[in-house]
Short mmCIF file of all heavy atoms in Angstrom, two decimals:
data_model
loop_
_atom_site.label_atom_id
_atom_site.label_comp_id
_atom_site.label_asym_id
_atom_site.label_seq_id
_atom_site.Cartn_x
_atom_site.Cartn_y
_atom_site.Cartn_z
N SER A 132 40.96 7.36 -32.96
CA SER A 132 40.03 7.62 -34.01
C SER A 132 38.93 8.61 -33.38
O SER A 132 38.40 8.40 -32.32
CB SER A 132 39.21 6.28 -34.33
OG SER A 132 38.10 6.54 -35.05
N VAL A 133 38.77 9.65 -34.13
CA VAL A 133 37.84 10.71 -33.64
C VAL A 133 36.59 10.71 -34.48
O VAL A 133 36.64 10.79 -35.80
CB VAL A 133 38.52 12.13 -33.71
CG1 VAL A 133 37.51 13.18 -33.45
CG2 VAL A 133 39.61 12.11 -32.69
N VAL A 134 35.48 10.54 -33.93
CA VAL A 134 34.12 10.57 -34.60
C VAL A 134 33.23 11.76 -34.15
O VAL A 134 33.05 11.90 -32.85
CB VAL A 134 33.42 9.23 -34.35
CG1 VAL A 134 32.10 9.16 -35.12
CG2 VAL A 134 34.33 8.08 -34.70
N ASP A 135 32.73 12.52 -35.11
CA ASP A 135 31.82 13.55 -34.80
C ASP A 135 30.57 13.46 -35.87
O ASP A 135 30.69 12.54 -36.71
CB ASP A 135 32.38 14.88 -34.70
CG ASP A 135 33.07 15.34 -36.01
OD1 ASP A 135 32.75 14.72 -37.03
OD2 ASP A 135 33.94 16.30 -35.92
N GLY A 136 29.81 14.32 -35.89
CA GLY A 136 28.69 14.30 -36.87
C GLY A 136 29.11 14.52 -38.27
O GLY A 136 28.34 14.15 -39.28
N VAL A 137 30.32 15.08 -38.51
CA VAL A 137 30.75 15.37 -39.85
C VAL A 137 31.48 14.12 -40.44
O VAL A 137 31.30 13.80 -41.62
CB VAL A 137 31.60 16.51 -39.86
CG1 VAL A 137 32.22 16.73 -41.28
CG2 VAL A 137 30.88 17.85 -39.39
N GLY A 138 32.15 13.40 -39.57
CA GLY A 138 32.97 12.26 -40.01
C GLY A 138 33.73 11.63 -39.03
O GLY A 138 33.70 11.99 -37.94
N GLN A 139 34.46 10.53 -39.50
CA GLN A 139 35.49 9.89 -38.65
C GLN A 139 36.87 10.15 -39.13
O GLN A 139 37.09 10.00 -40.41
CB GLN A 139 35.14 8.30 -38.64
CG GLN A 139 36.25 7.52 -37.83
CD GLN A 139 35.94 6.00 -37.89
OE1 GLN A 139 35.25 5.54 -38.73
NE2 GLN A 139 36.62 5.30 -36.91
N TYR A 140 37.82 10.49 -38.32
CA TYR A 140 39.15 10.81 -38.63
C TYR A 140 40.08 9.75 -38.02
O TYR A 140 39.92 9.41 -36.82
CB TYR A 140 39.46 12.19 -38.11
CG TYR A 140 38.49 13.24 -38.59
CD1 TYR A 140 37.24 13.45 -37.77
CD2 TYR A 140 38.62 14.08 -39.60
CE1 TYR A 140 36.37 14.28 -38.13
CE2 TYR A 140 37.76 15.06 -39.99
CZ TYR A 140 36.55 15.19 -39.29
OH TYR A 140 35.63 16.11 -39.62
N LEU A 141 40.91 9.21 -38.80
CA LEU A 141 41.87 8.15 -38.43
C LEU A 141 43.22 8.39 -38.79
O LEU A 141 43.41 8.52 -40.00
CB LEU A 141 41.35 6.77 -38.95
CG LEU A 141 41.94 5.52 -38.35
CD1 LEU A 141 41.51 5.32 -36.96
CD2 LEU A 141 41.45 4.32 -39.26
N PRO A 142 44.27 8.40 -37.92
CA PRO A 142 45.60 8.67 -38.34
C PRO A 142 46.16 7.53 -39.17
O PRO A 142 45.81 6.36 -38.87
CB PRO A 142 46.42 8.82 -37.10
CG PRO A 142 45.53 8.12 -36.04
CD PRO A 142 44.13 8.20 -36.46
N GLN A 143 46.92 7.73 -40.22
CA GLN A 143 47.65 6.70 -40.98
C GLN A 143 49.02 7.20 -41.33
O GLN A 143 49.29 8.29 -41.33
CB GLN A 143 46.82 6.53 -42.33
CG GLN A 143 45.45 5.85 -42.17
CD GLN A 143 44.87 5.56 -43.59
OE1 GLN A 143 45.22 6.18 -44.59
NE2 GLN A 143 43.90 4.78 -43.58
N ILE A 144 49.88 6.18 -41.47
CA ILE A 144 51.33 6.47 -41.89
C ILE A 144 51.46 5.92 -43.26
O ILE A 144 51.23 4.80 -43.67
CB ILE A 144 52.23 5.74 -40.95
CG1 ILE A 144 52.12 6.41 -39.53
CG2 ILE A 144 53.64 5.84 -41.36
CD1 ILE A 144 52.85 5.70 -38.44
N LYS A 145 51.92 6.86 -44.14
CA LYS A 145 52.24 6.42 -45.49
C LYS A 145 53.79 6.26 -45.75
O LYS A 145 54.59 6.97 -45.05
CB LYS A 145 51.75 7.48 -46.50
CG LYS A 145 50.21 7.46 -46.66
CD LYS A 145 49.86 8.33 -47.81
CE LYS A 145 48.31 8.13 -48.02
NZ LYS A 145 47.88 9.05 -49.20
N GLY A 146 54.23 5.39 -46.60
CA GLY A 146 55.62 5.16 -46.88
C GLY A 146 55.99 3.86 -46.50
O GLY A 146 55.38 3.17 -45.70
N VAL A 147 57.10 3.34 -47.13
CA VAL A 147 57.68 1.89 -46.87
C VAL A 147 58.80 1.93 -45.92
O VAL A 147 59.72 2.69 -46.06
CB VAL A 147 58.08 1.39 -48.20
CG1 VAL A 147 58.67 -0.06 -48.05
CG2 VAL A 147 56.91 1.35 -49.18
N PHE A 148 58.76 1.01 -44.92
CA PHE A 148 59.93 0.77 -44.09
C PHE A 148 60.67 -0.43 -44.54
O PHE A 148 60.14 -1.57 -44.71
CB PHE A 148 59.44 0.52 -42.64
CG PHE A 148 58.75 1.67 -42.02
CD1 PHE A 148 57.45 2.09 -42.42
CD2 PHE A 148 59.37 2.48 -41.08
CE1 PHE A 148 56.80 3.17 -41.83
CE2 PHE A 148 58.86 3.50 -40.50
CZ PHE A 148 57.50 3.90 -40.90
N ALA A 149 61.95 -0.34 -44.84
CA ALA A 149 62.69 -1.38 -45.44
C ALA A 149 62.87 -2.56 -44.53
O ALA A 149 62.89 -3.70 -44.94
CB ALA A 149 64.12 -0.91 -45.86
N LYS A 150 62.94 -2.34 -43.23
CA LYS A 150 62.97 -3.45 -42.31
C LYS A 150 62.19 -3.08 -41.02
O LYS A 150 61.94 -1.87 -40.77
CB LYS A 150 64.41 -3.88 -41.99
CG LYS A 150 65.37 -2.81 -41.55
CD LYS A 150 66.83 -3.33 -41.42
CE LYS A 150 67.71 -2.23 -40.96
NZ LYS A 150 67.79 -1.12 -41.94
N ALA A 151 61.91 -4.01 -40.23
CA ALA A 151 61.06 -3.83 -39.02
C ALA A 151 61.71 -2.94 -37.97
O ALA A 151 61.04 -2.44 -37.08
CB ALA A 151 60.65 -5.18 -38.40
N THR A 152 63.04 -2.75 -38.09
CA THR A 152 63.74 -2.01 -37.05
C THR A 152 63.94 -0.49 -37.54
O THR A 152 64.50 0.30 -36.78
CB THR A 152 65.09 -2.57 -36.76
OG1 THR A 152 65.75 -2.69 -37.97
CG2 THR A 152 64.90 -3.91 -36.04
N ASP A 153 63.36 -0.15 -38.72
CA ASP A 153 63.63 1.19 -39.23
C ASP A 153 62.78 2.13 -38.43
O ASP A 153 61.58 1.79 -38.12
CB ASP A 153 63.20 1.25 -40.65
CG ASP A 153 64.27 0.71 -41.60
OD1 ASP A 153 65.38 0.29 -41.08
OD2 ASP A 153 64.03 0.81 -42.84
N PRO A 154 63.26 3.29 -38.21
CA PRO A 154 62.53 4.36 -37.48
C PRO A 154 61.67 5.14 -38.46
O PRO A 154 61.89 5.09 -39.70
CB PRO A 154 63.58 5.37 -36.78
CG PRO A 154 64.72 5.15 -37.74
CD PRO A 154 64.74 3.72 -38.27
N PHE A 155 60.76 5.97 -37.99
CA PHE A 155 59.98 6.84 -38.88
C PHE A 155 60.90 8.03 -39.44
O PHE A 155 61.59 8.50 -38.64
CB PHE A 155 58.91 7.42 -38.00
CG PHE A 155 57.95 8.39 -38.91
CD1 PHE A 155 56.90 7.93 -39.51
CD2 PHE A 155 58.30 9.77 -38.93
CE1 PHE A 155 56.06 8.85 -40.27
CE2 PHE A 155 57.48 10.64 -39.64
CZ PHE A 155 56.42 10.20 -40.36
N ASP A 156 60.90 8.19 -40.66
CA ASP A 156 61.79 9.13 -41.33
C ASP A 156 60.86 10.13 -42.07
O ASP A 156 60.29 9.74 -43.10
CB ASP A 156 62.73 8.43 -42.28
CG ASP A 156 63.73 9.42 -42.96
OD1 ASP A 156 63.60 10.63 -42.76
OD2 ASP A 156 64.68 8.98 -43.60
N PRO A 157 60.83 11.36 -41.67
CA PRO A 157 59.92 12.34 -42.29
C PRO A 157 60.27 12.50 -43.79
O PRO A 157 59.46 13.04 -44.54
CB PRO A 157 60.17 13.58 -41.52
CG PRO A 157 60.62 13.18 -40.18
CD PRO A 157 61.40 12.02 -40.39
#
């Protein structure tokens, strides 16, 4: 999480994983 005077930036992952063993698929 990066915080500066303009704002806070936080990475997030969007999309559904069918099961817990699924890899990230672009």
Side-chain angles (χ1 to χ4, degrees):
S132 168
V133 172
V134 180
D135 59 20
V137 177
Q139 178 182 17
Y140 308 83
L141 190 69
Q143 291 185 342
I144 295 174
K145 288 190 174 182
V147 176
F148 294 77
K150 52 185 181 297
T152 55
D153 280 359
F155 180 91
D156 182 353

